Amino acid sequence: MQFTTIGAAIVDIVVSRVRPMSGAKQDVEHIGLYAGGGAVNAALNVAARGARTSVYACVGRDLEGGLLRDLLQRHGIRAAMPDHVLPTGKAVVMVDDSGAARAYAQRGASAWVGEHGFPDLRQADVVYVTGLSLESQSWLQAALADLSAPWPFRLVVTPGARQLSDPAALHGLWDQADLLCVNAREAAKLCGDESLNTDAPSPEVARSLAQRLIHRPGQAVLVTLGSGGALFYDGADGHFHPARMVPAVSTIGAGDAFASAFVHAWADGAAPQAALAAATDSAARIIQVIPANQAGPLRA
């Protein structure tokens, strides 16, 4: 399988075991430098599962961009990541004692994915789109419009915060997607439902939201429910799988780990419950480590 990811490649500066500040300086358990960004996290995950993998992203002409390229190369991942005059994107990720994470991001070059096009998309079996700037989303839609139908790949869309902030702009990709991947709050937002006040609604609520997100025949929706599990709606039936309860070290990569593992199994022909089980195991592994993936620290 050729699995192509599109989206952010950034450096995560992860600070773990953060407590409320009690003075000007505070000791923490760990500070580490890691690869991050949805496109990179997904690519590393599916490459470890045996897929031939490539990444479309954008980095700066700096040390951090070189470190990201080197890491992907070591993992056998083809990186289509042109240099940009802006610096490589970075995020400072603060992880508290419960494993909950809060990120402070500087998008930098990562907001310019696709400025020079998306060559070779037709070689993919899966095109997995992670969070994009609205400019990058427009460039991707133009590239897809230039491809003659039918496409040889499945298009999977996992929208980011900027896309979710403008659902009308997202409609182009959303309408074309074979699979839309969102969490429960994101699903409610796209449905215009402001009443949902939990990350883990019931499977019945998740199914109702998923049904409303279907835009065309043949489309499917994956709704993650945090500690409540996940529901895959194939256009006719809802397939629920509970979460696996493990100690949470950090939640920063759980969504990427779950969705990419599900898509890899689903696109390879696995039944819904088998794909959900594979995704659940993948997310459980990631929340037991500090970074958002299992590639280890960035280093020369």
Side-chain angles (χ1 to χ4, degrees):
M1 179 190 300
Q2 176 61 49
F3 201 104
T4 295
T5 70
I6 298 174
I10 66 172
V11 171
D12 282 344
I13 304 156
V14 182
V15 185
S16 69
R17 295 299 178 258
V18 176
R19 298 177 178 86
M21 289 292 289
S22 58
K25 182 182 286 187
Q26 176 182 340
D27 289 336
V28 296
E29 182 179 283
H30 173 82
I31 300 176
L33 198 67
Y34 302 95
V40 167
N41 294 335
L44 288 166
N45 197 33
V46 298
R49 299 174 66 85
R52 300 188 313 277
T53 310
S54 59
V55 175
Y56 286 93
C58 187
V59 295
R61 301 167 186 165
D62 49 26
L63 172 66
E64 293 89 346
L67 290 174
L68 288 170
R69 283 198 182 90
D70 289 348
L71 180 138
L72 293 172
Q73 184 178 31
R74 289 199 301 272
H75 287 266
I77 296 169
R78 176 180 172 270
M81 300 198 306
D83 290 337
H84 199 276
V85 294
L86 290 175
T88 298
K90 301 174 187 67
V92 177
V93 183
M94 316 291 280
V95 183
D96 67 19
D97 285 338
S98 73
R102 182 183 296 271
Y104 303 85
Q106 177 196 32
R107 305 290 179 178
S110 70
W112 294 87
V113 181
E115 183 180 15
H116 303 293
F118 296 90
D120 303 326
L121 281 184
R122 293 194 67 87
Q123 297 177 11
D125 298 303
V126 173
V127 173
Y128 182 93
V129 182
T130 67
L132 298 175
S133 67
L134 297 184
E135 292 85 1
S136 292
Q137 180 176 274
S138 296
W139 293 326
L140 177 57
Q141 287 178 226
L144 293 172
D146 287 342
L147 296 178
S148 56
W151 299 334
F153 51 78
R154 295 190 184 193
L155 178 65
V156 178
V157 176
T158 61
R162 294 189 183 189
Q163 294 159 293
L164 291 163
S165 69
D166 190 353
L170 179 61
H171 273 292
L173 283 180
W174 180 358
D175 294 344
Q176 294 171 305
D178 296 293
L179 175 64
L180 179 71
C181 302
V182 287
N183 64 37
R185 290 186 187 270
E186 292 166 347
K189 182 179 179 67
L190 290 176
C191 290
D193 184 352
E194 302 295 333
S195 64
L196 188 69
N197 57 5
T198 176
D199 294 325
S202 69
E204 292 75 24
V205 169
R207 178 190 169 108
S208 175
L209 291 170
Q211 287 176 314
R212 294 160 63 187
L213 293 174
I214 295 288
H215 276 195
R216 61 173 177 80
Q219 198 170 45
V221 177
L222 177 67
V223 182
T224 57
L225 310 174
S227 60
L231 182 127
F232 171 64
Y233 182 70
D234 61 14
D237 298 310
H239 307 270
F240 171 74
H241 196 283
R244 220 176 102 196
M245 294 297 104
V246 295
V249 174
S250 170
T251 60
I252 59 173
D256 293 330
F258 190 98
S260 59
F262 177 87
V263 171
H264 179 265
W266 170 73
D268 204 34
Q273 282 297 328
L276 287 166
T280 300
D281 289 343
S282 177
R285 284 192 295 272
I286 287 298
I287 67 173
Q288 293 181 82
V289 298
I290 289 173
N293 53 65
Q294 294 187 305
L298 278 176
R299 61 185 184 277

